[in-house]
Amino acid sequence: MARSGGGRRTSEETKERLLGAACAVLREEGYSGASARAIATRAEANSALVFYHFGGVDQLLLAALDRSSAERMAMYREIAGRAKSLEELVEAALLIYRTDLERGYITEFSELVAAAVTKPELRTEIRDRAEPWIAFIEHEWNRVLGGSALGRLLPAREVAYGAITFYLGVNLFSVLDEDRTRTEAVFELAGELAPRARLLTLRLPRRNRDVGLSPADQEEDA
């Protein structure tokens, strides 16, 4: 397709436009509205290019999710990495939630999860893409609270599962919570409880502190 300068788009430029259009259509129209025609129209491209470059609509949507996830992971590692206490972890979680909601990331992921209910072939793809986020949450929980009484009471893996479950539920609940006050209240409650749990976040002796941490994290924490 012709570009506005008389030239032609390269293959990579076309793929990038299709990826961006897929994200936009998924956020605004949902999975049911994310057809090859709708995405191609948004990208100002021929719908046949969806199949040529990606093999199909689902593959394009998954590739778009991968791109969003890579951007988010880089951004959120930095945000969460600054947390040194339970209170700061709660603050980081709130910032991540607000950013995901405002930029439509929650909707992108949730729409594909919902689609997987009736399309079993999507389930493994979505599950595999959720694993790095579960590992991310598990890592940060262990980094800040590993070796503490709270860390032992609430194992990191289960905390991560709970966080992902909440993440998906928030998108569904937003239909009823249009002004976000109810969801924000959950984070406010967590923020109020975090300081009261301070005694439970005190680290135990070194032999127990390193449970669940990589050697690099142990050296950083020393």
Side-chain angles (χ1 to χ4, degrees):
M1 178 168 293
R3 294 172 60 187
S4 61
R8 298 183 65 83
R9 292 185 192 136
T10 66
S11 177
E12 285 304 311
E13 287 173 335
T14 298
K15 289 173 68 175
E16 282 301 310
R17 289 182 68 89
L18 288 170
L19 287 167
C23 288
V25 171
L26 192 58
R27 289 193 300 264
E28 298 170 17
E29 307 294 334
Y31 181 82
S32 61
S35 65
R37 181 184 297 275
I39 294 171
T41 298
R42 179 71 68 100
E44 298 182 346
N46 190 305
S47 59
L49 293 175
V50 170
F51 300 89
Y52 175 77
H53 287 296
F54 297 95
V57 174
D58 283 348
Q59 293 90 332
L60 169 56
L61 294 175
L62 289 169
L65 180 62
D66 289 340
R67 188 176 73 162
S68 295
S69 292
E71 294 172 353
R72 293 168 60 224
M73 186 66 80
M75 180 167 49
Y76 297 156
R77 281 191 190 281
E78 182 178 350
I79 291 173
R82 295 195 292 264
K84 303 298 181 185
S85 66
L86 178 60
E87 295 97 313
E88 291 175 353
L89 271 182
V90 172
E91 291 172 2
L94 178 56
L95 178 56
I96 289 171
Y97 153 72
R98 286 174 174 167
T99 302
D100 271 6
L101 192 62
E102 289 166 4
R103 298 189 182 184
Y105 292 137
I106 288 180
T107 302
E108 289 177 28
F109 185 67
S110 298
E111 283 291 329
L112 287 172
V113 170
V117 173
T118 55
K119 298 189 74 172
E121 63 271 22
L122 280 176
R123 294 175 190 172
T124 299
E125 299 285 354
I126 298 300
R127 184 167 57 246
D128 289 346
R129 285 164 171 79
E131 275 301 320
W133 291 99
I134 292 172
F136 165 67
I137 297 168
E138 186 177 13
H139 169 82
E140 294 302 326
W141 183 263
N142 272 328
R143 181 182 63 80
V144 175
L145 297 167
S148 70
L150 186 62
R152 297 177 67 183
L153 180 65
L154 300 176
R157 192 72 174 176
E158 283 68 26
V159 169
Y161 290 153
I164 294 294
T165 301
F166 175 77
Y167 184 93
L168 293 172
V170 162
N171 186 60
L172 295 175
F173 193 60
S174 65
V175 176
L176 305 176
D177 187 29
E178 295 182 0
D179 62 359
R180 307 181 191 175
T181 55
R182 299 177 186 180
T183 305
E184 291 280 345
V186 175
F187 282 102
E188 289 176 8
L189 177 61
E192 291 173 4
L193 291 176
R196 301 179 186 183
R198 192 165 291 146
L199 286 177
L200 294 176
T201 65
L202 296 178
R203 296 294 183 91
L204 299 178
R206 167 64 65 180
R207 64 178 179 275
N208 291 324
R209 284 179 58 184
D210 295 337
V211 174
L213 293 177
S214 67
D217 291 323
Q218 294 174 25
E219 290 177 6
E220 176 183 340
D221 194 44

